[in-house]
Amino acid sequence: MRAGPPGPVPTATLGCVLVTGLLSMLLLGDGLALNLLIVAVPATLAAYFAARTAGRRPRPWSLTWAVGGLALLVVPALRDAGWPSFLAIVSSVALASLALHGCRTWPGVLLSPLGIFDSILRGLGWGWRGVRERAGGARGAGPVLRAVAVAVVLLLVFGALFAGADAAFADLLGELIPDASLSGSPWRVLLLIVGVVGALAAAHTAAAPVRWDRLVVKRGRARGRVEWALPLIVLNVLFAAFNAVQLTVLFGGYDSVLDKTGLSYAAYARQGFWQLLLATLLTLLVIVFALRWAPRDDPRDRRLVRAVLGTLCALTLVVVASAVRRMDMYVEAYGLTRLRISVVGIELWLGAIILLIMAAGVWGARWLPRAVAASAAVGVLAFGLLSPDGLIAERNVQRYEETGKFDFDYTRQLSADAVPALDKLPEPQRSCAIKPIADGLGTERGPWYATSLGESRARRIIEARPPSVAPGVCGTGSVDTSYSSYR
């Protein structure tokens, strides 16, 4: 599956690798925000030049993965919350691996991230050979690379000395360029190494990718019609019966829930959400194994497969809608939390996968692996752009206005993204909700490249109206303890 060894590393790739390492050293030591996107741009260019020299032309899907990976890195620049940013960074790495490998099959989509790790040591040797070839000559790129390296070292050393000698000059440098003081040198050297190694691994992968698409998963032995279809038909009947109950009970309103179940509105919603989420996941596994053993020699068999699995997918969509509706009912009763918004997002994504499977049954399944990967990336990007912490705070502020109940303990776990919504609370509830977030931010501002838009907005609000409450006030008042009972 390995491609042949790549040719000599291009000079443009070496230059982009050096820029990536320097930017990593200077920008990534203060946190992750816009700096992550800035560092990713030269690394992307390094891979592009390496692929072009190796004769690989960018295809539409590869360009889509590359643009999507860079777009996902906008999330840390916008949001202060760490959990959507983490999902965005992991998804960005996955899309980058797809762009570098150009995979189309299920094994390729699932295994392509391993190709980048496979290229770490190979990329280092490849880059070292390229540097040695150029460093020995008196012409070409060797003198330029040596001159740039010497200039960078001189700037760092004398810039740090002058900054330590004059406070005014230090302030000027602090506003224009990142901190290059000697105090954090070991950490910055590590970041330099990580940036160089990562960019070289990406470039080597682009020049000589692992051919994951050549992995072939043998299809299972086709079963007879009765052996294959009977269990699925029985399952369809069970799904249909359950969905009939859901349509009459769950979507019939509050009175219908009380009459038919004897439970409260929220208790009924809480009772079955997790079971329905698990049922959706198991249905996807059933579809996978059913397709593996499906009869496929006769046109009638293929029509049977489409009919049975299409019906199962359609009935599963009703289960997805029921699960989402149950969680919506529970949120109406007890408010929105990170767990609740996360599992609803997962359930909606599973519903999107089922729709894609239904479309593949009509138009073919060659595009399905890439479409599923794209749907996951779009979901993560949308999740980050929606600002989940801000949405949680906004929904719970609305609930406070309607019921007078608010969980201040849970609010302390939210990030600075929640401050604009919490700012709408009346006093002293506003100060009680914002003060823990303000204390977490502190008074010292980070550099522009390591400060998210969410943190910047929160600081402006806090500076305009600092939270101020008397001691003991935030420990009293109406706190809905039932809100915290299901996180």
Side-chain angles (χ1 to χ4, degrees), residues 129-189:
R129 289 192 298 270
V131 171
R132 289 183 61 184
E133 291 172 0
R134 288 162 176 80
R139 296 182 179 180
V144 176
L145 292 175
R146 289 194 296 269
V148 170
V150 172
V152 169
V153 171
L154 292 176
L155 285 175
L156 292 177
V157 172
F158 285 95
L161 291 175
F162 290 150
D166 189 278
F169 185 73
D171 292 339
L172 177 62
L173 286 182
E175 294 176 358
L176 297 178
I177 63 174
D179 179 24
S181 60
L182 299 177
S183 58
S185 294
W187 170 238
R188 295 190 181 277
V189 170

Side-chain angles (χ1 to χ4, degrees), residues 136-325:
R139 296 182 179 180
V144 176
L145 292 175
R146 289 194 296 269
V148 170
V150 172
V152 169
V153 171
L154 292 176
L155 285 175
L156 292 177
V157 172
F158 285 95
L161 291 175
F162 290 150
D166 189 278
F169 185 73
D171 292 339
L172 177 62
L173 286 182
E175 294 176 358
L176 297 178
I177 63 174
D179 179 24
S181 60
L182 299 177
S183 58
S185 294
W187 170 238
R188 295 190 181 277
V189 170
L190 178 61
L191 291 175
L192 171 66
I193 296 173
V194 169
V196 169
V197 171
L200 277 175
H204 184 274
T205 304
V210 179
R211 308 295 185 181
W212 296 110
D213 284 345
R214 295 182 180 178
L215 278 175
V216 177
V217 179
K218 294 183 180 180
R219 300 192 65 172
R221 181 175 62 86
R223 308 290 178 174
R225 293 181 185 175
V226 174
E227 182 182 3
W228 177 86
L230 181 60
L232 294 180
I233 292 174
V234 172
L235 185 62
N236 281 339
V237 173
L238 177 63
F239 268 64
F242 176 79
N243 289 340
V245 174
Q246 295 302 288
L247 293 174
T248 57
V249 176
L250 186 60
F251 298 106
Y254 180 75
D255 295 334
S256 177
V257 171
L258 289 179
D259 293 339
K260 295 184 179 295
T261 66
L263 300 174
S264 67
Y265 198 57
Y268 182 82
R270 178 182 178 179
Q271 183 185 53
F273 174 82
W274 292 105
Q275 290 88 337
L276 295 183
L277 178 61
L278 181 59
T280 306
L281 288 169
L282 291 178
T283 302
L284 290 175
L285 289 178
V286 169
I287 293 172
V288 170
F289 287 107
L291 288 173
R292 179 172 175 81
W293 294 314
R296 47 191 174 268
D297 295 332
D298 190 273
R300 291 176 297 178
D301 291 333
R302 291 192 288 271
R303 287 195 293 269
L304 177 65
V305 170
R306 291 193 181 99
V308 173
L309 292 184
T311 302
L312 180 60
C313 288
L315 294 173
T316 306
L317 288 177
V318 180
V319 174
V320 171
S322 175
V324 173
R325 175 57 181 155

